[in-house]
Amino acid sequence: MLQTGYGGPEVLRLAEHPLPQLGATEVLVQVRAAGLARAAWHMMTGKPYLLRAAVGLRRPRQPVMGHNLAGTVAAVGAGVTRFRIGDEVYGIGRGTFAGFSAAPEEKLAFKPAGLDFEQAAVVPLSGLTALQALDAARVAAGMKVLVLGAAGGVGSFAVQMARAAGAEVTGACSAGKAEFVRSLGAAGIIDYAREDFAAAGPRFDAIIDVGGNPSPARLRRALVPGGTAVLAGGEGGNRLTGAIFERQVGGAVLSLFGNRRLKGLMCRENGKDLERISAMTEAGTVVPRIDSRYRLADVAEAMRRLESGQVCGSVVLVP
């Protein structure tokens, strides 16, 4: 699936493309499934515009879409030591919406036992973001944790991981997704259309914000003294920088005053953290939830599903 420019699904087209060239420490993976994360939508639209400075001003320098993958090792670079041809792996690669993708060895892990390729493919970016957000908030047993955007790809992992850590989890979502979020292990539900999570004052030891754009001041208001809010996502904001950048800067400034922390988070793509998630999935404490499946040729339709706001869990693509 190639991207010819920035815009809506009309900039996408299915076409043949040469196999990626492997670096010395890269692995060629035959893609069996690819997760469709929100990052792909930002890449397609080129918004916020600041993103284009990093990936290409008029069109992405990497023409093949996609980052998440699960599949089988087809070839390895001369410097690869961990994987062999035939190994089943998952992780983050270059241009994963394709039959084959090149992935750095350090961004892969062995596919967890008990997960099929589709389940494994939706883990990498969403699971890593959730795990690192909980690490940043130092989530532990007995803490009260609020997950904003609890029904989405990152949120569904964050709820399960926080529950596995022994925290009491409240999930914020729309009313129609409440049962889904409860099924993830949330003890409480906040309907964001009817309730203000910050109205009752300090309640939470940690807030994992992956699905909205509440102001840093509102997040801070809902934290107990010594609490931490992690800003791991957000939509809206101005076209140049977007909400994520604006809110992370605002949070950093507020954190200078008082004893409540607001921390920005950018996902660190690495295989060691994927191995931590593998242990959770193999123990059964974290289960990837798939909302819908699409063929690679139907990426445009999958994008529309992602934009609809109706997704519970993650969207996955298959060849």
Side-chain angles (χ1 to χ4, degrees):
M1 185 57 62
L2 301 180
Q3 182 174 344
T4 59
Y6 296 113
E10 71 278 356
V11 303
L12 309 179
R13 66 182 179 91
L14 193 65
E16 291 188 359
H17 192 72
L19 284 174
Q21 296 297 310
L22 286 186
T25 58
E26 289 188 320
V27 175
L28 183 67
V29 180
Q30 182 176 4
V31 179
R32 300 287 298 276
L36 180 62
R38 188 71 182 178
W41 181 89
H42 286 288
M43 184 65 73
M44 179 184 74
T45 60
K47 295 178 181 178
Y49 294 142
L50 190 61
L51 172 70
R52 304 185 188 190
V55 301
L57 294 178
R58 302 188 59 164
R59 63 180 62 86
R61 287 186 288 272
Q62 165 59 44
V64 185
M65 295 193 70
H67 300 89
N68 295 309
L69 63 76
T72 306
V73 174
V76 298
V80 171
T81 59
R82 294 175 55 221
F83 302 108
R84 298 180 179 179
I85 293 173
D87 286 343
E88 295 181 345
V89 297
Y90 77 127
I92 297 169
R94 295 186 275 118
T96 64
F97 296 177
F100 292 86
S101 171
E105 180 181 27
E106 70 272 13
K107 295 185 180 183
L108 293 176
F110 290 103
K111 182 175 74 66
L115 293 190
D116 61 29
F117 285 108
E118 294 179 12
Q119 291 174 306
V122 303
V123 172
L125 282 175
S126 295
L128 287 172
T129 301
L131 178 69
Q132 292 165 13
L134 267 63
D135 285 348
R138 301 172 187 170
V139 170
M143 292 176 64
K144 293 185 177 180
V145 177
L146 171 65
V147 178
L148 300 176
V154 178
S156 62
F157 283 109
V159 171
Q160 294 181 77
M161 291 175 181
R163 183 69 187 89
E168 178 184 319
V169 185
T170 297
C173 59
S174 62
K177 299 179 181 179
E179 288 307 312
F180 172 75
V181 174
R182 286 192 183 94
S183 77
L184 300 172
I189 300 292
I190 291 176
D191 178 355
Y192 65 76
R194 296 172 176 263
E195 304 172 68
D196 180 358
F197 69 87
R203 296 168 56 190
F204 301 102
D205 300 292
I207 299 174
I208 310 301
D209 180 12
V210 295
N213 56 0
S215 68
R218 285 181 63 209
L219 292 170
R220 185 183 184 190
R221 195 179 310 135
L223 289 170
V224 301
T228 301
V230 180
L231 289 75
E235 302 300 326
N238 68 63
R239 293 182 178 182
L240 177 61
T241 61
I244 297 177
F245 179 80
E246 295 172 2
R247 294 168 66 237
Q248 289 188 357
V249 171
V253 172
L254 276 181
S255 294
L256 298 174
F257 307 95
N259 61 349
R260 295 170 174 87
R261 299 185 305 156
L262 290 91
K263 302 185 66 174
L265 177 74
M266 297 298 291
C267 178
R268 301 181 303 280
E269 304 169 350
N270 70 92
K272 290 185 177 180
D273 280 348
L274 284 174
E275 290 171 356
R276 292 173 60 194
I277 299 173
S278 294
M280 297 179 194
T281 65
E282 290 171 354
T285 54
V286 172
V287 179
R289 300 297 187 94
I290 294 179
D291 172 89
S292 47
R293 298 165 173 82
Y294 293 88
R295 307 295 295 185
L296 180 60
D298 299 322
V299 169
E301 185 179 348
M303 283 287 191
R304 294 186 185 98
R305 174 66 181 170
L306 195 65
E307 289 181 281
S308 72
Q310 302 302 309
V311 171
C312 287
S314 302
V315 177
V316 67
L317 304 172
V318 294

